[in-house]
Amino acid sequence: MDRYLEPQDLAFRDEVRAFLAAELPSEWCGRADTDSRIDMPLVVAWHKRLAARGWSVPAWPVEYGGTGWSPLHQHLFAVELARARAPKLWNVGTRLAGPVICAFGSDAMKRELLPSIINADDIWCQGFSEPGAGSDLASLRTVAVRQGGDYVIDGQKIWTTNAHLANRMFCLARTDMEAKPQAGISMIMLDMDTPGITIRPIRSIDGAHHLNEVFFDGVCVPAARLVGVENQGWSYAKFLLRHERTGIADLAATDRMLDDIFAALSLLDRTRAAEANEIRRQAARLRIRIAAASMLERRQIERDMQGEEDAAAPSMLKIIGSELRQAMTRLGMDLLGEDGGSETAARTALGGLLRHMPRDHLFYHAASIYGGANEVQRGMIARAALGQI
Amino acid sequence: MLFEPSESQRLVRDTVSRFARDHAGHDLATAQAWAQLADVGLAALTLPEEAGGLAGEGVDIVLAMEALGYELVFAPVPEFAIFGATLATSEGGEIAGGRLRLLPAVLGGGALATYSGGTGAEVRLSAQLSVGYGFAAATHMVVRATHGPDDEDKAFSVALDGPGVTATPVHLLDGSEGARVDLRDAPAQLVGGAPAWDRSIDLATLAVCAESVGIMRRLLDATGEHLRTRRQFGVLLGSFQALQHRFVDAHLAMELAAMSVWDAGLSNAAAMQVCAARVQVAEAAKLVTREAIQMHGAMGMTEELAIGRGVRRLEVNDRRYGHVAGHLDRYLSSMDQDDGKMTAL
């Protein structure tokens, strides 16, 4: 956000920009800058450069390695990374597992797990969704039974993004079969090379392998890997999902995609002049909407910094951000015209500029599903606005 | 703080809110009513302090107009207090600050008035204005005219009770009185250059947008209340998920529009932000209008509820100071001037 910044904010942003100019190689930019195109070796290399500067886990408490930046500066940092088209970071360890461990983990767990998140020596995945428990997460059926010093886990997870690349997982499992659905769930940190874990790939419509099924067959995990208190996993998960939705709108990356669309528009020849005019007007409407959404984001940050809780704001930003991303790739596909029909880059200047668009377009159908389906978010906003009916 | 009004801004908001509650649901469009608005300081909202004004800027305009809109108090504040006062006191403005009620004549399709005689500051003009909002209380009308292709546009004022002026009253959709105005060789006085005119129009457009946001908030509050209390099929309407989700979508559209308008207010009505606000408000108004009526059912079609009045005003506001397509065009051309480097963030 360029506008409405105080001198100290501009100075901070300049510091980030100077760091990016020095530490982010230009050949790393634009290759894997969205979550549709996570490139794990590149992520690790980039993450380590951020860690060397002390900037890999900005939002954590300072005592565990955080930066102490205000929410506004954390936001500006994320915007600058996206604006530079830096490799998209894999945030499951830094934004989800880490904050939960900082808040609820034992001292031993903090010592064991936090340093390798900070330095990207570990890659984490999220073991939440199951075949019978997607949006309705509380109906999950994977069980963890206490046997001596271990939990023995049996069951199945699904839609586990990058499980095949991860070495650790935070996992929700049922530890009390008698309790109400939300009350009998625990959170357990497990290693992906533990005997009894089987990973099977799921290929998605964008042609890539991000998603997996993960099967647990008598998987033994030391009880010390239980987060916090047994049967309190649901409250930890809610804490974590709030973190997941922060910044999920990723407006800066959407705005960069729009830059590409405006640049590509100038490449259309005059046989498509009328169409170009129509697409340009739609693109302008999207830019206006992004600007409005970024003001909403700033309002949420301001309220956050004043200690006010706005229950509906993360859900609103999640819906708006995902719908903007989808509208953007749809417009990109319209602009590509015939070139949009093939999976790989067409050998035209237009196709080159928008080479990622066909796969991104397919991938981002998921944006209104992941991070809590948009229908679930709408339900939460309605409850905040109308009360419990 | 970007979103918390300052002390003086809160004072404007609270004063106007109190006034608006006292006049809730009323038109204040006559000369008499204008005196009441002047008493509460609205007439002098944007006038400089040395002219006895409050020296209000974008955010003050937004807060005042949202407050009026929320209580469905409709008054020609954008015309007289914003447009007229800005033009009268801008550099090159030739008329004494704020004493005249200047009505901006935004001619259709960006057309200009034509010269039919005279030179310099005293000329004769001809023009046809299809709708003058706030006509009932206006004393003068301001039109934009140009001598020839090489000359710059300028703003001229015409006394509405002078020769060469024919006015035909028209009933506007919101129940207020407007007029079609024909100028034929009407004597006109130079009041400012094109930049002053543009600036005045941008500020007035911001005011109209803010009024629309206030109206939309009111419509959604009323709709939310209806969903919470109306029973059908033995249950509350708000228990139906289809209605919840549509209500949320209308609410999201309104919030985005409010953010665009706030942005335009913070920028003190920078041209690009005003265009953006205008586009976003128009989009939201369509959705809020449709859902507010639909969810109220047949009652939403009547004059019995506040929403009928609000919906009709939104429709009128969508036409004041140019239609939305023109604002989108202007947004795009400012982007071009910016060499495409602008960013939404």
PDB file of all heavy atoms in Angstrom, chain A residues 35-47:
ATOM      1  N   ASP A  35       0.513 -19.233  -5.097  1.00  0.00           N
ATOM      2  CA  ASP A  35       0.399 -20.546  -4.467  1.00  0.00           C
ATOM      3  C   ASP A  35      -0.065 -21.629  -5.437  1.00  0.00           C
ATOM      4  O   ASP A  35      -0.108 -22.801  -5.094  1.00  0.00           O
ATOM      5  CB  ASP A  35      -0.450 -20.518  -3.192  1.00  0.00           C
ATOM      6  CG  ASP A  35      -1.554 -19.509  -3.240  1.00  0.00           C
ATOM      7  OD1 ASP A  35      -1.960 -19.126  -4.360  1.00  0.00           O
ATOM      8  OD2 ASP A  35      -2.016 -19.092  -2.200  1.00  0.00           O
ATOM      9  N   SER A  36      -0.367 -21.236  -6.664  1.00  0.00           N
ATOM     10  CA  SER A  36      -0.637 -22.257  -7.679  1.00  0.00           C
ATOM     11  C   SER A  36       0.668 -22.885  -8.170  1.00  0.00           C
ATOM     12  O   SER A  36       0.653 -23.930  -8.809  1.00  0.00           O
ATOM     13  CB  SER A  36      -1.366 -21.614  -8.862  1.00  0.00           C
ATOM     14  OG  SER A  36      -0.606 -20.535  -9.367  1.00  0.00           O
ATOM     15  N   ARG A  37       1.797 -22.215  -7.899  1.00  0.00           N
ATOM     16  CA  ARG A  37       3.068 -22.676  -8.461  1.00  0.00           C
ATOM     17  C   ARG A  37       4.161 -22.704  -7.403  1.00  0.00           C
ATOM     18  O   ARG A  37       5.248 -22.176  -7.605  1.00  0.00           O
ATOM     19  CB  ARG A  37       3.476 -21.762  -9.628  1.00  0.00           C
ATOM     20  CG  ARG A  37       2.662 -21.994 -10.873  1.00  0.00           C
ATOM     21  CD  ARG A  37       3.024 -21.032 -11.971  1.00  0.00           C
ATOM     22  NE  ARG A  37       2.210 -19.836 -11.930  1.00  0.00           N
ATOM     23  CZ  ARG A  37       2.673 -18.622 -11.673  1.00  0.00           C
ATOM     24  NH1 ARG A  37       3.949 -18.419 -11.458  1.00  0.00           N
ATOM     25  NH2 ARG A  37       1.864 -17.592 -11.642  1.00  0.00           N
ATOM     26  N   ILE A  38       3.875 -23.312  -6.262  1.00  0.00           N
ATOM     27  CA  ILE A  38       4.884 -23.445  -5.205  1.00  0.00           C
ATOM     28  C   ILE A  38       6.058 -24.285  -5.740  1.00  0.00           C
ATOM     29  O   ILE A  38       5.865 -25.346  -6.320  1.00  0.00           O
ATOM     30  CB  ILE A  38       4.269 -24.152  -3.974  1.00  0.00           C
ATOM     31  CG1 ILE A  38       3.212 -23.267  -3.325  1.00  0.00           C
ATOM     32  CG2 ILE A  38       5.352 -24.567  -2.984  1.00  0.00           C
ATOM     33  CD1 ILE A  38       3.728 -22.213  -2.385  1.00  0.00           C
ATOM     34  N   ASP A  39       7.261 -23.758  -5.567  1.00  0.00           N
ATOM     35  CA  ASP A  39       8.472 -24.464  -6.008  1.00  0.00           C
ATOM     36  C   ASP A  39       9.310 -24.694  -4.751  1.00  0.00           C
ATOM     37  O   ASP A  39      10.002 -23.792  -4.277  1.00  0.00           O
ATOM     38  CB  ASP A  39       9.199 -23.576  -7.029  1.00  0.00           C
ATOM     39  CG  ASP A  39      10.524 -24.178  -7.486  1.00  0.00           C
ATOM     40  OD1 ASP A  39      11.055 -25.076  -6.787  1.00  0.00           O
ATOM     41  OD2 ASP A  39      11.028 -23.734  -8.532  1.00  0.00           O
ATOM     42  N   MET A  40       9.233 -25.909  -4.177  1.00  0.00           N
ATOM     43  CA  MET A  40       9.749 -26.108  -2.825  1.00  0.00           C
ATOM     44  C   MET A  40      11.253 -25.862  -2.684  1.00  0.00           C
ATOM     45  O   MET A  40      11.660 -25.189  -1.733  1.00  0.00           O
ATOM     46  CB  MET A  40       9.356 -27.492  -2.305  1.00  0.00           C
ATOM     47  CG  MET A  40       9.281 -27.571  -0.786  1.00  0.00           C
ATOM     48  SD  MET A  40       8.157 -26.347  -0.029  1.00  0.00           S
ATOM     49  CE  MET A  40       6.587 -27.225  -0.091  1.00  0.00           C
ATOM     50  N   PRO A  41      12.109 -26.345  -3.609  1.00  0.00           N
ATOM     51  CA  PRO A  41      13.538 -26.019  -3.446  1.00  0.00           C
ATOM     52  C   PRO A  41      13.793 -24.506  -3.467  1.00  0.00           C
ATOM     53  O   PRO A  41      14.596 -23.984  -2.678  1.00  0.00           O
ATOM     54  CB  PRO A  41      14.198 -26.695  -4.662  1.00  0.00           C
ATOM     55  CG  PRO A  41      13.245 -27.782  -5.043  1.00  0.00           C
ATOM     56  CD  PRO A  41      11.880 -27.270  -4.730  1.00  0.00           C
ATOM     57  N   LEU A  42      13.082 -23.809  -4.331  1.00  0.00           N
ATOM     58  CA  LEU A  42      13.232 -22.358  -4.395  1.00  0.00           C
ATOM     59  C   LEU A  42      12.712 -21.702  -3.110  1.00  0.00           C
ATOM     60  O   LEU A  42      13.310 -20.759  -2.581  1.00  0.00           O
ATOM     61  CB  LEU A  42      12.468 -21.828  -5.616  1.00  0.00           C
ATOM     62  CG  LEU A  42      12.756 -20.394  -6.052  1.00  0.00           C
ATOM     63  CD1 LEU A  42      14.219 -20.199  -6.388  1.00  0.00           C
ATOM     64  CD2 LEU A  42      11.877 -20.022  -7.250  1.00  0.00           C
ATOM     65  N   VAL A  43      11.591 -22.223  -2.612  1.00  0.00           N
ATOM     66  CA  VAL A  43      11.024 -21.717  -1.358  1.00  0.00           C
ATOM     67  C   VAL A  43      12.050 -21.817  -0.236  1.00  0.00           C
ATOM     68  O   VAL A  43      12.271 -20.859   0.515  1.00  0.00           O
ATOM     69  CB  VAL A  43       9.755 -22.504  -0.965  1.00  0.00           C
ATOM     70  CG1 VAL A  43       9.392 -22.254   0.498  1.00  0.00           C
ATOM     71  CG2 VAL A  43       8.583 -22.134  -1.855  1.00  0.00           C
ATOM     72  N   VAL A  44      12.699 -22.972  -0.148  1.00  0.00           N
ATOM     73  CA  VAL A  44      13.646 -23.198   0.949  1.00  0.00           C
ATOM     74  C   VAL A  44      14.838 -22.247   0.823  1.00  0.00           C
ATOM     75  O   VAL A  44      15.264 -21.618   1.796  1.00  0.00           O
ATOM     76  CB  VAL A  44      14.096 -24.676   0.985  1.00  0.00           C
ATOM     77  CG1 VAL A  44      15.251 -24.871   1.969  1.00  0.00           C
ATOM     78  CG2 VAL A  44      12.915 -25.579   1.353  1.00  0.00           C
ATOM     79  N   ALA A  45      15.331 -22.094  -0.402  1.00  0.00           N
ATOM     80  CA  ALA A  45      16.474 -21.197  -0.605  1.00  0.00           C
ATOM     81  C   ALA A  45      16.112 -19.757  -0.229  1.00  0.00           C
ATOM     82  O   ALA A  45      16.877 -19.057   0.439  1.00  0.00           O
ATOM     83  CB  ALA A  45      16.926 -21.267  -2.062  1.00  0.00           C
ATOM     84  N   TRP A  46      14.937 -19.317  -0.652  1.00  0.00           N
ATOM     85  CA  TRP A  46      14.480 -17.948  -0.379  1.00  0.00           C
ATOM     86  C   TRP A  46      14.206 -17.763   1.119  1.00  0.00           C
ATOM     87  O   TRP A  46      14.599 -16.783   1.731  1.00  0.00           O
ATOM     88  CB  TRP A  46      13.260 -17.653  -1.237  1.00  0.00           C
ATOM     89  CG  TRP A  46      12.564 -16.337  -1.005  1.00  0.00           C
ATOM     90  CD1 TRP A  46      11.222 -16.134  -0.873  1.00  0.00           C
ATOM     91  CD2 TRP A  46      13.146 -15.032  -0.911  1.00  0.00           C
ATOM     92  NE1 TRP A  46      10.946 -14.813  -0.693  1.00  0.00           N
ATOM     93  CE2 TRP A  46      12.112 -14.099  -0.709  1.00  0.00           C
ATOM     94  CE3 TRP A  46      14.464 -14.560  -0.964  1.00  0.00           C
ATOM     95  CZ2 TRP A  46      12.335 -12.731  -0.556  1.00  0.00           C
ATOM     96  CZ3 TRP A  46      14.685 -13.188  -0.816  1.00  0.00           C
ATOM     97  CH2 TRP A  46      13.633 -12.293  -0.614  1.00  0.00           C
ATOM     98  N   HIS A  47      13.539 -18.761   1.693  1.00  0.00           N
ATOM     99  CA  HIS A  47      13.227 -18.728   3.124  1.00  0.00           C
ATOM    100  C   HIS A  47      14.513 -18.584   3.950  1.00  0.00           C
ATOM    101  O   HIS A  47      14.559 -17.818   4.916  1.00  0.00           O
ATOM    102  CB  HIS A  47      12.480 -20.017   3.485  1.00  0.00           C
ATOM    103  CG  HIS A  47      11.982 -20.071   4.893  1.00  0.00           C
ATOM    104  ND1 HIS A  47      10.676 -20.363   5.206  1.00  0.00           N
ATOM    105  CD2 HIS A  47      12.617 -19.892   6.071  1.00  0.00           C
ATOM    106  CE1 HIS A  47      10.532 -20.330   6.526  1.00  0.00           C
ATOM    107  NE2 HIS A  47      11.695 -20.068   7.064  1.00  0.00           N
TER     108      HIS A  47
END
